[in-house]
């Protein structure tokens, strides 16, 4: 299996622009998670999905952030408009449902820089 | 609310020395516990996990961790550090009945030649 795939790996944009980050989870995994990693706040869970349905979005910082999962093999995290304080590494992770399968598998991340 | 604390944001050891990275959790019910490693410019990779089976858990790359309920700890150890172990290590707690993981702030391990 190719693992969790994220694109792009790096994104540089200007303040006010729309940014879309993409994630392809491991095939057969029912859960998908979006995290943000910064020096100041560490690794934060933004939102997670189960069977393509958002379950908990309490970590989404504000309305400028939105996430979708139109099907089992694709999810997006959108920031509109972007701000310099959104600069961070964004990770996507997936896992299987069920007991004993609690491991989350992380993608390589997207490093976002907002100028 | 459950939480996890990693003592020491940076740990430096000599090659061949013992590695000890500390993690304490806060939970009324023993949760699932994890250690992940992050190499530069990469995602997190699972080292090992505790899910209420054996309290001494062996992971990849020679790492192991012991769950101690009385101390609410899950410290990570390796008998002999290698240069390739230099990375950031995250302890995480997974509350039972929840699919979330709560991560500690991370410990950066430096291995000196």
């Amino acid at each position: 299996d190719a693992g969790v795939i994220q694109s792009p790996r790096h994104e540089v944009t200007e303040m006010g622009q729309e940014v879309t980050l993409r994630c392809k989870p491991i095939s057969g995994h029912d859960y998908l998670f979006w995290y943000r990693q910064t020096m100041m706040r560490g690794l934060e869970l933004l939102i997670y999905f189960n069977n393509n349905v958002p379950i908990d979005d309490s970590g989404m910082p504000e309305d400028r952030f939105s996430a979708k999962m139109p099907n089992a093999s694709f999810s997006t995290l959108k920031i509109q408009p972007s701000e310099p304080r959104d600069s961070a590494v964004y990770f996507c992770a997936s896992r299987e449902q069920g007991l004993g399968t609690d491991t989350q598998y992380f993608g390589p991340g997207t490093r976002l820089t907002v100028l | 609310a459950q939480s996890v604390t990693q003592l020491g944001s940076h740990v430096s050891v000599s090659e061949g020395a013992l590695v000890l990275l500390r993690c304490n959790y806060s939970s009324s019910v023993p949760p699932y516990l994890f250690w992940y490693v992050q190499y530069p410019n990469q995602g997190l990779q699972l080292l090992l996990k505790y899910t209420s089976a054996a309290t001494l858990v062996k992971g990849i790359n020679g790492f192991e961790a012991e769950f101690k309920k009385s101390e609410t700890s899950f410290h990570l150890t390796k008998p002999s550090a290698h240069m390739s172990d230099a990375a950031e290590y995250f302890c995480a707690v997974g509350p039972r009945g929840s699919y979330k993981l709560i991560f500690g702030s991370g410990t950066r391990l430096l291995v000196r030649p």
Side-chain angles (χ1 to χ4, degrees), chain A residues 31 33 37 56 91 103-104, chain B residues 36 38 43 49 90 99-100:
Chain A
Y31 285 83
F33 304 81
Q37 185 179 40
D56 185 344
F91 289 103
T103 301
Q104 292 187 19
Chain B
Y36 280 83
Q38 184 180 27
K49 63 182 179 182
F90 293 90
Y99 289 93
K100 291 183 176 183

Side-chain angles (χ1 to χ4, degrees), chain A residues 15-77:
Chain A
M15 182 174 61
Q17 296 298 306
E18 176 182 302
V19 175
T20 299
L21 311 181
R22 297 172 176 82
C23 175
K24 176 178 170 56
I26 293 172
S27 178
H29 282 192
D30 303 290
Y31 285 83
L32 184 139
F33 304 81
W34 281 101
Y35 291 88
R36 178 173 67 177
Q37 185 179 40
T38 61
M39 289 292 293
M40 291 298 294
R41 301 176 67 90
L43 200 60
E44 304 172 277
L45 176 64
L46 300 178
I47 185 172
Y48 77 94
F49 296 81
N50 176 218
N51 291 325
N52 313 334
V53 176
I55 303 300
D56 185 344
D57 65 354
S58 59
M60 296 286 263
E62 46 196 281
D63 292 346
R64 298 185 296 105
F65 286 70
S66 62
K68 294 182 179 179
M69 192 165 185
N71 58 63
S73 59
F74 183 66
S75 177
T76 60
L77 178 67

